[in-house]
Every structure is written in C-alpha cells, then in structure tokens.
Amino acid sequence: MVLSKESSSVLFHLLIVNELKKEYAQKIITSQYFINARSQAHHPNTTVASHTLGVVAVSLRLFYALEKLRINIDKEALTKAALCHDLGIVGRYDKFKNDFICCQRHPVDSVSVAKSIFPDIDKKTIDCIKNHMFPLTPIPPCCIEGILINFADKYCTFIETFLGKNTYPGKSYIDEV
Ligand SMILES: [Fe+2]
Ligand SMILES: [Fe+2]
C-alpha cells in the first residue's frame, strides 16, 4: 500500500508520539531535568526540550526508514539517548565559563543525567550521548544509533537556527508529551 505524503506524515507523527509515551521515554520526560529543559532557551527559536524532541523525531524517522531496509537498530537506546543528549546543557550559564567549554562538557553532564535516571544504563546509550557533538568533540559515536543522533542533532540545529520559529522539528511534539 502506498500512502500519500500527508497520510505518511500523520502515521510517523503517531508512531513517534507512541514511542514518546513508552515507560522509558516518560521516565525522562517527567523528570525534573526535562521539566527544567522546557524553560531553557537553546538555539534561536527553541528550548532544550523542544530541540530534544526534534532530535528524537528525526532520529526515529531515520529508524523507520532503515527498518524497512532490515537494518537492525536498538530503538530504545536511540530514544533514550536522543532524549538525554542535551539535558546536561541545562543551567549552562551557571556551569560553563564559555561556549567552547559548554560544547566540550555538556555531553559528559548529559551522561550523568542519564545515569541518574537509569542507574543501569547500557554502554551503547552512554556512548551515543557522550559523543553526540562529534566532530566538535574528538571521538565519533561507536554505533549506528549514535550516528543517527549525531546527524539528527546537526539537522535540527540547522533548521532551528536558520528557518525560524514555525518550522523546527520538535514543534508538533512539545505540547503532546
Ligand atoms: Fe549537544
Ligand atoms: Fe542537541
């Protein structure tokens, strides 16, 4: 069956919202870290929370495309890492002296946040979070989930920075979760 562009957009939206309603995603979204992320500005037109949901949405769109090609991807690790990847940037003006230090340090702080939400978090998810800023940090992600998040993060940052407040990828999710 071939879906129209509108129908497939609606379908993907529902699939992504469904993923965001899962217990592991809600554990992050209802945490105080994510609540604080809703009020921290990030890029010209977003907050850390709305940027984060864009990165989740784009990562999952890539996941569904690659799933059709039978490429095996850990969806839980992808969603958890995408949701946590920038939570360490919250409070940046108190924590980091300048943008360079923020760029280098916030992935490490995001790993600490993820570990505090999931004490038994796996190494792959940690790697995705820790190396999401590559090549601005020196080590590339070690797995496909990390590569998808790395790409989704750059894509969302570009859209959020250059295309205005009505088009950013996380816009349609921020009030739904
Ligand atoms: Fe980041
Ligand atoms: Fe990001």
Side-chain angles (χ1 to χ4, degrees):
M1 185 173 68
V2 179
L3 294 175
S4 68
K5 201 175 168 201
E6 290 73 27
S7 302
S8 79
S9 287
V10 171
L11 177 65
F12 281 125
H13 182 87
L14 292 173
L15 285 169
I16 291 163
V17 169
N18 186 51
E19 178 67 12
L20 289 168
K21 299 280 184 193
K22 287 191 177 161
E23 195 181 339
Y24 52 79
Q26 283 296 309
K27 211 168 171 186
I28 302 166
I29 291 165
T30 59
S31 72
Q32 193 57 48
Y33 301 107
F34 200 90
I35 291 166
N36 294 344
R38 288 179 183 270
S39 55
Q40 164 113 36
H42 194 39
H43 305 144
N45 298 301
T46 46
T47 61
V48 174
S50 56
H51 162 73
T52 293
L53 292 172
V55 174
V56 176
V58 173
S59 299
L60 286 170
R61 287 291 292 256
L62 293 169
F63 166 84
Y64 293 120
L66 295 172
E67 191 182 41
K68 281 189 188 162
L69 303 175
R70 300 181 188 275
I71 296 174
N72 192 27
I73 298 168
D74 181 342
K75 181 148 63 91
E76 180 173 336
L78 185 74
T79 300
K80 279 182 177 173
L83 278 170
C84 290
H85 83 280
D86 269 346
L87 293 183
I89 215 166
V90 175
R92 63 186 290 178
Y93 300 109
D94 298 323
K95 289 197 296 186
F96 307 122
K97 228 187 245 177
N98 55 48
D99 288 348
F100 177 76
I101 293 173
C102 178
C103 173
Q104 299 300 307
R105 287 290 309 175
H106 80 269
V108 178
D109 286 8
S110 295
V111 169
S112 300
V113 169
K115 282 182 174 172
S116 80
I117 299 172
F118 302 105
D120 59 347
I121 194 164
D122 61 287
K123 281 185 184 165
K124 181 168 61 180
T125 309
I126 289 173
D127 184 86
C128 293
I129 299 168
K130 196 173 169 189
N131 297 314
H132 78 267
M133 292 299 286
F134 179 80
L136 299 176
T137 52
I139 301 171
C142 74
C143 54
I144 189 162
E145 293 81 1
I147 293 166
L148 297 187
I149 290 169
N150 189 288
F151 172 80
D153 190 35
K154 308 286 181 290
Y155 172 80
C156 289
T157 299
F158 179 85
I159 303 276
E160 291 158 6
T161 304
F162 296 109
L163 296 188
K165 63 183 176 184
N166 294 317
T167 54
Y168 62 87
K171 188 175 172 61
S172 60
Y173 300 95
I174 192 69
D175 295 325
E176 279 208 59
V177 296

mmCIF file of all heavy atoms in Angstrom, residues 42-43 51 55 85-86 132 153 157, ligand 2:
data_model
loop_
_atom_site.group_PDB
_atom_site.id
_atom_site.type_symbol
_atom_site.label_atom_id
_atom_site.label_comp_id
_atom_site.label_asym_id
_atom_site.label_seq_id
_atom_site.Cartn_x
_atom_site.Cartn_y
_atom_site.Cartn_z
ATOM 1 N N HIS A 42 17.464 27.468 23.753
ATOM 2 C CA HIS A 42 18.510 26.706 23.062
ATOM 3 C C HIS A 42 18.340 26.950 21.565
ATOM 4 O O HIS A 42 17.269 26.677 21.021
ATOM 5 C CB HIS A 42 18.325 25.217 23.387
ATOM 6 C CG HIS A 42 19.506 24.355 23.025
ATOM 7 N ND1 HIS A 42 20.803 24.745 23.200
ATOM 8 C CD2 HIS A 42 19.571 23.099 22.521
ATOM 9 C CE1 HIS A 42 21.621 23.762 22.819
ATOM 10 N NE2 HIS A 42 20.900 22.756 22.396
ATOM 11 N N HIS A 43 19.350 27.449 20.910
ATOM 12 C CA HIS A 43 19.273 27.884 19.512
ATOM 13 C C HIS A 43 18.249 29.017 19.438
ATOM 14 O O HIS A 43 17.482 29.221 20.391
ATOM 15 C CB HIS A 43 18.949 26.728 18.566
ATOM 16 C CG HIS A 43 19.918 25.583 18.713
ATOM 17 N ND1 HIS A 43 19.558 24.257 18.603
ATOM 18 C CD2 HIS A 43 21.246 25.580 18.998
ATOM 19 C CE1 HIS A 43 20.613 23.486 18.786
ATOM 20 N NE2 HIS A 43 21.648 24.259 19.043
ATOM 21 N N HIS A 51 14.054 21.369 21.204
ATOM 22 C CA HIS A 51 15.152 20.870 20.360
ATOM 23 C C HIS A 51 15.302 19.348 20.538
ATOM 24 O O HIS A 51 15.424 18.601 19.555
ATOM 25 C CB HIS A 51 16.453 21.578 20.730
ATOM 26 C CG HIS A 51 17.688 20.875 20.264
ATOM 27 N ND1 HIS A 51 18.082 20.855 18.942
ATOM 28 C CD2 HIS A 51 18.610 20.123 20.941
ATOM 29 C CE1 HIS A 51 19.206 20.143 18.832
ATOM 30 N NE2 HIS A 51 19.539 19.673 20.030
ATOM 31 N N VAL A 55 15.149 16.227 17.843
ATOM 32 C CA VAL A 55 16.206 15.231 17.613
ATOM 33 C C VAL A 55 15.631 13.816 17.739
ATOM 34 O O VAL A 55 15.961 12.925 16.943
ATOM 35 C CB VAL A 55 17.393 15.466 18.585
ATOM 36 C CG1 VAL A 55 18.431 14.359 18.453
ATOM 37 C CG2 VAL A 55 18.035 16.828 18.311
ATOM 38 N N HIS A 85 20.363 13.606 25.323
ATOM 39 C CA HIS A 85 21.651 14.060 24.796
ATOM 40 C C HIS A 85 22.039 15.475 25.226
ATOM 41 O O HIS A 85 23.221 15.754 25.413
ATOM 42 C CB HIS A 85 21.703 13.921 23.254
ATOM 43 C CG HIS A 85 21.072 15.047 22.508
ATOM 44 N ND1 HIS A 85 19.707 15.163 22.328
ATOM 45 C CD2 HIS A 85 21.621 16.140 21.902
ATOM 46 C CE1 HIS A 85 19.452 16.261 21.642
ATOM 47 N NE2 HIS A 85 20.595 16.866 21.364
ATOM 48 N N ASP A 86 21.054 16.365 25.429
ATOM 49 C CA ASP A 86 21.396 17.753 25.788
ATOM 50 C C ASP A 86 20.914 18.139 27.188
ATOM 51 O O ASP A 86 20.972 19.326 27.534
ATOM 52 C CB ASP A 86 20.791 18.718 24.760
ATOM 53 C CG ASP A 86 21.743 19.011 23.603
ATOM 54 O OD1 ASP A 86 22.943 18.700 23.720
ATOM 55 O OD2 ASP A 86 21.268 19.546 22.586
ATOM 56 N N HIS A 132 27.768 12.775 20.976
ATOM 57 C CA HIS A 132 26.814 13.336 20.007
ATOM 58 C C HIS A 132 27.326 14.619 19.359
ATOM 59 O O HIS A 132 26.816 15.035 18.321
ATOM 60 C CB HIS A 132 25.434 13.578 20.652
ATOM 61 C CG HIS A 132 25.333 14.797 21.514
ATOM 62 N ND1 HIS A 132 25.537 14.773 22.872
ATOM 63 C CD2 HIS A 132 25.048 16.105 21.209
ATOM 64 C CE1 HIS A 132 25.372 15.993 23.368
ATOM 65 N NE2 HIS A 132 25.079 16.816 22.378
ATOM 66 N N ASP A 153 20.859 15.677 15.309
ATOM 67 C CA ASP A 153 21.197 16.858 16.109
ATOM 68 C C ASP A 153 21.682 18.003 15.216
ATOM 69 O O ASP A 153 21.241 19.155 15.365
ATOM 70 C CB ASP A 153 22.285 16.460 17.120
ATOM 71 C CG ASP A 153 22.534 17.528 18.166
ATOM 72 O OD1 ASP A 153 21.576 18.203 18.576
ATOM 73 O OD2 ASP A 153 23.702 17.680 18.584
ATOM 74 N N THR A 157 19.612 21.460 14.561
ATOM 75 C CA THR A 157 20.295 22.714 14.880
ATOM 76 C C THR A 157 20.258 23.668 13.682
ATOM 77 O O THR A 157 19.982 24.864 13.825
ATOM 78 C CB THR A 157 21.761 22.433 15.291
ATOM 79 O OG1 THR A 157 21.740 21.596 16.451
ATOM 80 C CG2 THR A 157 22.516 23.713 15.603
HETATM 81 FE FE FE B 2 21.376 18.804 20.638
#
